């Protein structure tokens, strides 16, 4: 009887579909230690001085769909930090962009990401107002197609924000760059 059950189990295990691609938990980059969403990287700017890069980073954004507030610049340390806001319809995405400049390049970190959305129907009643939550709240919810699609949209928006920032860091007339995580 045991042999019969073992043979049936082996036969059925071979018929079970194999997982072809590993499950991707989140399309957003997660920090291994803090488990928070962090976009970070280093870019080179071969002919740029640290002062010029710091001035460009401190002045960004000058135009476009992005707004900056709470700028903090430390020229002696070569760092600048700003709170960046992106509005898309009634939704807002915000985060802290910190830039460390050096001769010929800079490193950046986009952290403390939040999203604000209207809270429409709650328990069958209209509830006006906005709800702001950390982006990790969406990352660590139960996986679904809607969640995955939403995270992919947010990832695209944040990549566009970083591309806009990298282009602003280039001197006039240089080709565009691609972002690195």
């Amino acid at each position: 009887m045991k042999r019969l059950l073992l043979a049936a189990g082996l036969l059925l295990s071979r018929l079970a579909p194999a997982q072809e691609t590993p499950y991707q938990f989140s399309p957003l980059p997660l920090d291994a230690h803090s488990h928070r969403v962090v976009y970070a990287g280093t870019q080179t700017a071969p002919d740029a001085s640290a002062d010029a890069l710091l001035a460009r980073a401190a002045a960004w954004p000058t135009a476009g769909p992005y707004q900056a507030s709470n700028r903090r610049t430390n020229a002696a340390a070569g760092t600048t930090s700003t709170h960046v806001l992106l509005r898309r319809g009634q939704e807002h995405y915000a985060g802290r962009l910190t830039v460390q400049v050096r001769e010929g390049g800079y490193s950046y970190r986009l952290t403390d990401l939040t999203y604000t959305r209207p809270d429409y129907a709650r328990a069958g009643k209209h509830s006006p107002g906005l709800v702001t939550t950390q982006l990790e709240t969406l990352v660590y919810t139960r996986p679904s197609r809607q969640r995955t699609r939403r995270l992919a949209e947010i990832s695209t928006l944040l990549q566009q924000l970083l591309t806009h920032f990298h282009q602003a860091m280039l001197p006039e007339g240089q080709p565009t760059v691609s972002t690195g995580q």
Side-chain angles (χ1 to χ4, degrees), residues 62-172:
T62 56
Y66 311 108
Q67 296 175 350
S69 61
N70 298 332
R71 292 184 196 268
R72 296 184 184 132
T73 303
N74 184 345
T79 61
T80 185
S81 178
T82 187
H83 185 262
V84 180
L85 177 69
L86 163 64
R87 293 179 187 218
R88 183 176 174 217
Q90 293 184 349
E91 297 176 336
H92 309 344
Y93 302 91
R96 167 107 4 233
L97 180 64
T98 305
V99 181
Q100 171 78 45
V101 299
R102 64 186 183 293
E103 293 296 322
Y106 61 94
S107 58
Y108 64 93
R109 287 180 59 85
L110 183 61
T111 58
D112 301 330
L113 295 163
T114 61
Y115 72 103
T116 303
R117 59 176 166 47
D119 188 25
Y120 290 121
R122 195 168 38 189
K125 299 177 184 176
H126 179 71
S127 177
L130 299 174
V131 176
T132 300
T133 56
Q134 294 290 324
L135 198 54
E136 290 82 14
T137 303
L138 183 59
V139 170
Y140 293 112
T141 58
R142 192 181 93 184
S144 68
R145 286 185 183 166
Q146 178 187 6
R147 172 194 163 271
T148 303
R149 186 174 348 126
R150 184 79 180 123
L151 288 175
E153 289 173 6
I154 292 171
S155 178
T156 301
L157 288 172
L158 294 175
Q159 288 291 343
Q160 289 172 353
L161 179 140
L162 289 173
T163 299
H164 189 268
F165 171 71
H166 293 310
Q167 289 175 353
M169 293 296 285
L170 291 173
E172 297 296 323

